[in-house]
Amino acid sequence: MVDLTDYLWIVWLVFILVCVIIELLTLDFTFLMIAVGSLAGLGANLLGWDWWVQILVAGAVSVLLLMLIRPVLLRLMAKSAAAVPPSNVAALIGMGGRVSSTIAELGGLVRLDNGETWTARLSPDRTQTRIDPGERVLVSAIEGSTAVVVPDERTD
């Protein structure tokens, strides 16, 4: 009769593969730590240890990695994510520009400092009703494809 524990290494490999796939989908480092712990269980299997020792080794290594390594990795990821500059529309907020076409109640055009030309309108909290071409403005918000601008009060 076939002893199924002789093929336990296949179970370890499949479990490691499943954990790595789940980790790639979640990016939370939990299943990565479990996969590495399972790799330790596979190592115990290759050393010929009993199945219950393999499970204990895999569990102990997984718990240690989850408690010691995962928090460090999460902190590093959060720190590097905070250093990423804003992109797309978020990068336009606060950007300066120069009015190309008079901005009045129906809107106008503004050429931003990054070279893009946007339709623009005045921010509703301003009392000013018109900005003439050549004047500096700051983008305070983006609504759809329109830049909401305020006059730039800095002196050149």
Side-chain angles (χ1 to χ4, degrees), residues 25-97:
L25 295 174
T26 62
L27 300 174
D28 191 38
F29 293 123
T30 302
F31 286 95
L32 181 64
M33 301 300 126
I34 294 172
V36 173
S38 300
L39 193 61
L42 176 63
N45 177 279
L46 296 177
L47 291 174
W49 296 355
D50 289 333
W51 63 270
W52 59 272
V53 177
Q54 297 171 32
I55 293 172
L56 286 177
V57 167
V61 171
S62 295
V63 168
L64 281 173
L65 291 173
L66 283 169
M67 294 175 70
L68 299 176
I69 304 297
R70 183 175 175 264
V72 173
L73 290 175
L74 289 176
R75 274 195 303 274
L76 287 173
M77 289 293 289
K79 192 181 300 183
S80 67
V84 175
S87 63
N88 299 333
V89 174
L92 299 177
I93 307 300
M95 183 177 288

Side-chain angles (χ1 to χ4, degrees), residues 3-5 17 20 25 29 32-33 38 40 43 45 58 64 74 91 102 113 128 136 146 150 154:
D3 185 14
L4 293 179
T5 58
L17 182 66
V20 168
L25 295 174
F29 293 123
L32 181 64
M33 301 300 126
S38 300
N45 177 279
L64 281 173
L74 289 176
T102 303
D113 291 340
Q128 189 174 1
R136 295 281 304 164
T146 302
V150 295
R154 295 180 292 176

Side-chain angles (χ1 to χ4, degrees), residues 110-152:
V110 64
R111 183 168 178 87
L112 299 178
D113 291 340
N114 66 358
E116 296 178 357
T117 301
W118 281 69
T119 57
R121 67 177 177 79
L122 280 168
S123 178
D125 60 347
R126 293 294 177 167
T127 57
Q128 189 174 1
T129 59
R130 175 185 176 102
I131 302 178
D132 293 320
E135 292 187 41
R136 295 281 304 164
V137 292
L138 290 175
V139 177
S140 63
I142 300 290
E143 294 178 355
S145 63
T146 302
V148 179
V149 298
V150 295
D152 188 356

